[in-house]
Amino acid sequence: MSRASRLPSGLLRMTSLRSWMQLLALLAAAGPVHATPPNAPAVVGQVAHGEKNIAEASLADPTGRYRHFVLGADYEAASLVVRLTDGRTLKLVLPEDEVFEDRIPRLADLDSDGSDEILLVRTSARQGTSLVVIAQRGGQLAIIAQSPSTGGPHRWLNPAGIADFNGDGRLDVAYVQQPHAVGQLRVFTLSGGALKEIAALAGVSNHAAGSNQQGMSVVADFDGDGIADLALPSFDRRSLLFLSFAGGPHVLKRVPLADAATSNFKLAQDAGGPAVVVGVAGGRHVTVPYPR
């Protein structure tokens, strides 16, 4: 006969009740999984500043409810706060199963109407990650367009640049889908109220897993044809790729790097034209001119 079966039934019930109470106490002390992490900042990431309809845009309400943490912190943002140039403040709060897996609100007039939209990386725990376009509609913030979802959790994307990449006079937006696992560059334009894909290219990256550095790319007219180009790392981050989208996406130049790219790029000028300051392993920076 087991020890438990020899205990009086009342004592057995008390023991079980005590165990449940201890378990509940432990769970209460731990707090819910999606509670605000301790020491999380009130503003998540950078504050964007604009001069058109939007004065400031920032991410807020840090939460641990989506446990991917690709950007190195144990929280993501649950909301977007926008201060308009007329003094009003608007807020967009995501549903409980979504977060902004991002640190940089990007302001751009994608539809050429004279007002900026906001581009952000939004992640759903069920559907994966999309690039979303947010605008003011009826006195509120609303998601007006989005890229295709990556299809499941932990499949992130990282924006790479906003420019007129194909020379049609309209701004386009480029991002790298799953820069650690897939490395697909995708370029979209806002047309007819939807994001429509206009170009794609494989074999690139623009992020090191676990880093808060989202800016491993720069935009400039490197080849001098009057159309914006994009510079970003190869998939292994050991080469710098200069890309053009004029006449279709293609690699203009590939420059090997001594070490893997690890941090934000900067645009510079040398005697021959634009150059890229690349952050590499060890905290160093190297300047890479466009090969002529």
Side-chain angles (χ1 to χ4, degrees), residues 20-171:
W20 274 108
M21 291 179 66
Q22 290 172 344
L23 177 60
L24 290 173
L26 287 171
L27 291 174
V33 170
H34 60 270
T36 302
N39 303 318
V43 175
V44 180
Q46 301 178 19
V47 178
H49 299 275
E51 297 180 351
K52 295 180 179 179
N53 55 314
I54 297 173
E56 289 184 354
S58 59
L59 294 168
D61 296 328
T63 175
R65 68 193 184 202
Y66 180 69
R67 307 187 70 78
H68 185 204
F69 309 143
V70 70
L71 292 169
D74 60 352
Y75 55 82
E76 306 298 345
S79 67
L80 168 69
V81 178
V82 172
R83 182 170 64 83
L84 302 177
T85 50
D86 64 10
R88 289 180 294 158
T89 298
L90 305 178
K91 187 172 185 178
L92 175 65
V93 179
L94 292 178
E96 280 292 318
D97 63 345
E98 296 179 1
V99 295
F100 288 117
E101 203 171 7
D102 207 341
R103 297 293 184 268
I104 310 170
R106 300 159 191 85
L107 305 183
D109 184 5
L110 294 180
D111 56 7
S112 303
D113 67 349
S115 296
D116 281 335
E117 288 79 44
I118 304 168
L119 291 103
L120 281 165
V121 178
R122 181 206 59 190
T123 295
S124 162
R126 293 174 296 174
Q127 299 175 350
T129 304
S130 299
L131 184 72
V132 296
V133 181
I134 299 169
Q136 182 185 348
R137 293 289 186 268
Q140 297 181 336
L141 296 176
I143 295 174
I144 63 168
Q146 64 184 60
S147 69
S149 168
T150 55
H154 299 182
R155 300 177 185 177
W156 185 64
L157 64 84
N158 190 32
I162 301 171
D164 178 9
F165 288 118
N166 59 0
D168 67 353
R170 297 175 64 89
L171 289 179

Side-chain angles (χ1 to χ4, degrees), residues 176 179-180 183 202-207 216 231-243 251 253-257 259-261 265:
V176 179
H180 322 116
V204 303
S205 182
N206 64 344
H207 186 257
M216 282 200 285
L232 79 174
S234 58
F235 183 64
D236 63 4
R237 295 184 283 113
R238 291 190 171 275
S239 293
L240 178 63
L241 305 180
F242 294 90
L243 307 180
V251 178
K253 303 287 183 180
R254 176 188 293 263
V255 179
L257 300 172
D259 293 292
F265 290 7

Side-chain angles (χ1 to χ4, degrees), residues 184-198:
Q184 178 87 355
L185 181 71
R186 305 181 71 177
V187 183
F188 290 80
T189 192
L190 185 64
S191 177
L195 283 177
K196 297 183 178 179
E197 190 165 11
I198 60 172

